[in-house]
Amino acid sequence: MSRSANSESLIQVHDRTFRPYIRRDEVMEMVRDVATQINRDLAGQEVTLLVVLKGALVFAADLMRQLQMPVTLEVLRASSYRDAMSSTGTVILEDVVPDVVGRHVVVVEDIIDSGTTMRELIKHLGSYRPASVSVAALLSKPDVHQGGIQIDYVGREIARDFVVGYGMDYAGHGRHLDAIWIVDDALDT
Ligand code: IMP
Ligand code: MG
């Protein structure tokens, strides 16, 4: 049974406790806002969504169905987090970058923390001569990346605390949760 952030209850994900943070309906509103902006900015263009796996999978699935232009889909695995709550600072691009020559690419990311992943990815993409590259992130942590990163569309800016759900994981767990939960420091030291 799926749990909803409407409930006051805490949940256990792997070895940490999380509390409700962004409700499912709020998440859907954030996705709608991002889709509306992309529909406006890239109207009449053919768009290639480049989904950064695994975290952006759920966001991308909801986002792409609200886009009104012709859309093609590419995926790429990249990770700087390794079963932990802090970035290693090393980005591992686990696949060859798909052919995006001449395409209008929208990189779809779940959350931008230090910005390392996105910076690396944008750098790599540039050498494939796309027609344009923009970045859509469901969440962003400006206190961590200090604005030094291109984010064209963002669902919501949040503080630096660790979140799970709606595709995002903690140590590989919690991606299936339909709302977004935040680590509960009150109970974890
Ligand atoms: P960055 O390279 O530091 O910006 O890290 C970005 C990646 O780390 C994202 O694609 C996520 O997969 C992961 N990440 C960052 N913050 C969180 C979080 O709060 N919860 C889950 N994953 C996160
Ligand atoms: Mg990610």
Side-chain angles (χ1 to χ4, degrees):
M1 197 176 76
S2 74
R3 315 255 325 231
S4 159
N6 286 319
S7 115
E8 283 306 302
S9 57
L10 301 174
I11 57 166
Q12 188 79 13
V13 177
H14 192 50
D15 59 359
R16 298 290 295 254
T17 305
F18 290 78
R19 60 187 154 81
Y21 188 50
I22 307 177
R23 293 191 317 269
R24 170 71 181 171
D25 62 301
E26 293 177 278
V27 174
M28 292 320 293
E29 203 177 307
M30 288 153 55
V31 176
R32 262 197 307 277
D33 282 352
V34 170
T36 301
Q37 292 175 58
I38 295 173
N39 282 329
R40 184 197 58 208
D41 292 352
L42 292 167
Q45 306 289 348
E46 183 170 313
V47 165
T48 296
L49 292 186
L50 178 56
V51 182
V52 184
L53 298 179
K54 301 172 188 171
L57 188 134
V58 181
F59 174 38
D62 285 334
L63 178 67
M64 74 172 90
R65 287 177 288 175
Q66 297 181 44
L67 297 181
Q68 289 158 359
M69 68 287 283
V71 170
T72 61
L73 182 68
E74 300 288 353
V75 297
L76 187 73
R77 288 181 61 182
S79 49
S80 67
Y81 272 72
R82 288 317 220 193
D83 292 350
M85 287 192 180
S86 60
S87 175
T88 60
T90 317
V91 179
I92 301 143
L93 293 176
E94 296 177 41
D95 300 308
V96 174
V97 174
D99 180 12
V100 294
V101 178
R103 310 248 203 120
H104 292 285
V105 178
V106 177
V107 181
V108 182
E109 179 62 298
D110 50 358
I111 181 166
I112 296 180
D113 185 12
S114 69
T116 311
T117 307
M118 193 52 67
R119 246 190 309 273
E120 282 296 304
L121 192 47
I122 300 280
K123 206 167 71 189
H124 280 268
L125 279 180
S127 60
Y128 288 78
R129 287 173 288 110
S132 70
V133 177
S134 48
V135 174
L138 184 71
L139 298 173
S140 164
K141 298 180 181 176
D143 291 349
V144 184
H145 60 73
Q146 308 273 351
I149 178 82
Q150 172 200 344
I151 313 174
D152 302 274
Y153 310 103
V154 62
R156 184 180 293 190
E157 293 188 333
I158 63 169
R160 55 174 65 238
D161 308 282
F162 196 84
V163 297
V164 291
Y166 197 70
M168 292 171 286
D169 73 306
Y170 166 51
H173 298 271
R175 295 192 196 276
H176 65 291
L177 298 166
D178 68 350
I180 297 175
W181 300 72
I182 191 161
V183 70
D184 192 55
D185 288 318
L187 295 185
D188 298 298
T189 46

